[in-house]
């Protein structure tokens, strides 16, 4: 089965719009346009909202903080819902918890309950902040399945030894590998003054892995080229994953002081960083999905297989195989072709696709090992990390 998943995820990197839009032979996520009979693989051509014949929506998506159309984490995850649902004639609906960036666990639970009340058989939940709400909803609605993206197995309670909820499938990614590739690529391209601005205030495991991997990639490439690099590293203004004047001002200051490219790691935060980059004629590295379509400042993006992993989980559910992934955590990385850089759209000129593929193979083969414990972040012989608090 892992081989099938790897095949699904490998195909994703072919498509330029988002990190992953593909599937296996039996559940190919293509949408037939009834108007002309052509096959559509672009999730943007699938409506975000639909009206079901019976008023029920059996596949639900509950967003993380930030906007649905964030061109990053929420949107990439929802793309997987839309692609699978449209390809398999399933009804779907998205739910955004009340109070926006200030949403509480109760708000998230209410969104999940609304989904179940509207007929959801399976609920896809984006973001690690969903844990408490999923715990409550999954225990209460035991006949409904939940997919926890950027998540892990969830227990029935927070007490030690509590049983794992079998109707929750946790899907996570080895973001440190994707971040490493982005940092390595930036230095090989010739950039040595870099920045990282992360979402979640330093508490989001995915963003922490992205950032720490990025610094390791910068270090490795700088050592190979025998150059010194510098990384401004901050969680300021990113707790809500939203664009803000404060974040744009910080990024603009970095660029003014010589930073050449900033890794914008946090959903809609991208808009603030790319605006600052455009004003400074500088560069940005995107995250989660291929963000090159959003700004000419993007040199590459550290992507992960959001859409394809959701399609895979939904296919398991509808094949009656959810028990294989429920109650366990599935961590996807380079070996599963679930992380990487979108070579078809990057603007790198000094590092070739062949060189990238060679490094990616070394990661897959275990020749290059990337640490995932972000608590080990520090300056090294070849990279100075300026933590800005």
């Amino acid at each position: 089965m892992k081989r099938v998943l790897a095949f699904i995820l490998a195909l994703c990197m072919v498509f330029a719009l988002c990190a992953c839009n593909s599937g296996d032979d039996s559940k190919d996520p293509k949408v037939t346009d009834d108007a002309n009979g052509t096959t559509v693989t672009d999730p943007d051509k699938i409506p975000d909202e639909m009206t079901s014949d019976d008023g029920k929506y059996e596949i639900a998506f509950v967003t993380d903080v930030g906007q649905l159309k964030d061109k990053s984490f929420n949107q990439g995850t929802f793309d997987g819902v839309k692609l699978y649902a449209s390809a398999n004639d399933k009804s779907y609906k998205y739910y955004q918890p009340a109070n926006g960036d200030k949403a509480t666990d109760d708000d998230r639970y209410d969104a999940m309950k609304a989904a179940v009340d509207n007929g959801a058989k399976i609920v896809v939940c984006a973001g690690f902040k969903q844990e408490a709400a999923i715990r409550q909803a999954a225990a209460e609605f035991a006949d409904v399945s939940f997919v926890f993206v950027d998540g892990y197995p969830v227990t029935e309670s927070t007490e030690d030894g509590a049983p794992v909820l079998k109707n929750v499938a946790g899907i996570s990614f080895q973001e440190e590998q994707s971040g490493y590739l982005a940092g390595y690529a930036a230095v090989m391209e010739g950039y040595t003054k870099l920045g990282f601005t992360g979402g979640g205030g330093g508490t989001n495991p995915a963003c922490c892995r992205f950032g720490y991997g990025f610094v390791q990639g910068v270090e490795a490439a700088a050592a190979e080229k025998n150059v010194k690099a510098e990384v401004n590293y901050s969680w300021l203004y990113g707790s809500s994953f939203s664009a803000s004047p404060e974040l744009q001002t910080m990024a603009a200051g970095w660029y003014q002081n010589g930073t050449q490219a900033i890794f914008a790691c946090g959903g809609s935060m991208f808009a603030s960083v790319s605006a600052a980059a455009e004003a400074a004629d500088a560069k940005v590295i995107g995250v989660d999905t291929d963000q090159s379509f959003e700004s000419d400042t993007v040199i590459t993006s550290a992507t992960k297989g959001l859409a394809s992993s959701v399609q895979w989980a939904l296919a398991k559910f509808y094949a009656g195989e959810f028990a294989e992934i429920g109650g366990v955590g599935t961590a996807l990385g380079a070996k599963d072709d679930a992380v990487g850089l979108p070579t078809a759209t990057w603007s790198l000129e000094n590092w070739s696709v062949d060189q990238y593929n060679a490094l990616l193979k070394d990661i897959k083969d275990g020749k290059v090992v990337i640490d995932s414990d972000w608590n080990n972040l520090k300056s090294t012989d070849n990279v100075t990390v300026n933590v800005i608090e």
Side-chain angles (χ1 to χ4, degrees):
M1 186 56 64
K2 184 175 180 181
R3 184 180 302 171
V4 174
L5 175 57
F7 174 66
I8 295 172
L9 294 168
L11 291 178
C12 307
M13 300 302 176
V14 176
F15 297 99
L17 179 67
C18 75
C20 301
N21 294 337
S22 193
D24 63 22
D25 292 339
S26 62
K27 298 179 180 65
D28 192 8
K30 297 178 180 178
V31 182
T32 299
D33 184 342
D34 293 334
N36 55 29
T38 59
T39 299
V40 180
T41 56
D42 182 348
D44 280 351
K45 294 183 179 179
I46 306 169
D48 293 333
E49 300 186 59
M50 66 166 296
T51 300
S52 68
D53 293 337
D54 61 1
K56 300 293 185 181
Y57 301 88
E58 61 181 77
I59 302 177
F61 173 58
V62 178
T63 67
D64 193 13
V65 293
Q67 298 300 309
L68 174 73
K69 307 297 284 188
D70 61 1
K71 306 296 184 182
S72 186
F73 182 60
N74 278 327
Q75 186 168 343
T77 308
F78 188 45
D79 283 347
V81 171
K82 292 196 299 182
L83 285 164
Y84 183 86
S86 297
N88 293 278
D89 196 27
K90 304 295 183 184
S91 57
Y92 60 95
K93 185 176 178 66
Y94 74 87
Y95 301 80
Q96 291 190 276
N99 296 313
D101 296 338
K102 306 298 183 183
T104 65
D105 291 336
D106 287 341
D107 294 328
R108 297 181 183 95
Y109 165 79
D110 288 343
M112 296 174 198
K113 184 178 185 301
V116 175
D117 289 344
N118 282 338
K121 297 179 180 178
I122 184 166
V123 182
V124 177
C125 305
F128 82 112
K129 290 186 176 182
Q130 307 273 15
E131 178 183 350
I134 288 177
R135 174 176 288 111
Q136 182 179 355
E140 182 175 349
F141 308 112
D143 57 342
V144 176
S145 296
F146 293 79
V147 179
F148 187 11
V149 181
D150 265 9
Y152 31 77
V154 176
T155 55
E156 293 180 6
S157 74
T158 57
E159 296 179 0
D160 291 342
V164 173
L165 289 162
K166 299 294 187 181
N167 58 332
V168 178
I171 297 177
S172 63
F173 299 88
Q174 293 174 285
E175 290 92 353
E176 69 277 5
Q177 296 178 344
S178 194
Y180 180 98
L181 289 164
Y184 192 97
V187 174
M188 296 306 289
E189 184 67 6
Y191 303 115
T192 56
K193 292 183 70 65
L194 299 160
F196 168 83
T197 177
T203 65
N204 181 302
C207 289
C208 290
R209 288 191 292 266
F210 266 130
Y212 181 40
F214 181 72
V215 171
Q216 291 177 78
V218 171
E219 155 64 26
E224 182 174 330
K225 296 183 71 175
N226 194 27
V227 298
K228 301 296 183 183
E230 185 176 357
V231 178
N232 286 337
Y233 197 97
S234 179
W235 300 104
L236 291 175
Y237 314 120
S239 60
S240 66
F241 295 86
S242 299
S244 70
E246 294 82 4
L247 176 60
Q248 185 170 336
T249 297
M250 184 181 77
W254 287 6
Y255 286 131
Q256 186 176 3
N257 289 324
T259 297
Q260 299 160 302
I262 296 175
F263 183 13
C265 185
S268 297
M269 294 169 64
F270 172 85
S272 294
V273 178
S274 63
E278 288 168 4
D281 193 24
K283 300 301 180 183
V284 178
I285 296 167
V287 76
D288 287 337
T289 63
D290 181 0
Q291 295 188 303
S292 63
F293 302 93
E294 306 309 313
S295 172
D296 291 338
T297 64
V298 175
I299 55 173
T300 190
S301 300
T303 65
K304 61 186 185 183
L306 293 167
S308 63
S309 67
V310 170
Q311 293 172 86
W312 168 75
L314 291 172
K316 299 291 279 186
F317 173 79
Y318 282 103
E321 299 171 352
F322 193 83
E324 296 179 8
I325 61 174
V328 300
T330 302
L332 304 174
K335 287 185 177 180
D336 309 291
D337 294 308
V339 298
L341 307 180
T343 57
T345 59
W346 73 16
S347 62
L348 303 179
E349 298 178 351
N350 300 321
W351 197 47
S352 70
V353 174
D354 285 344
Q355 289 172 312
Y356 163 78
N357 286 332
L359 176 57
L360 184 63
K361 184 177 186 302
D362 283 345
I363 295 173
K364 290 180 179 181
D365 293 344
K367 294 180 180 178
V368 173
V369 179
I370 302 148
D371 186 15
S372 63
D373 184 357
W374 59 86
N375 293 307
N376 294 327
L377 176 72
K378 61 183 179 180
S379 296
T380 63
D381 291 341
N382 294 93
V383 57
T384 299
V385 180
N386 304 314
V387 178
I388 299 169
E389 298 177 327

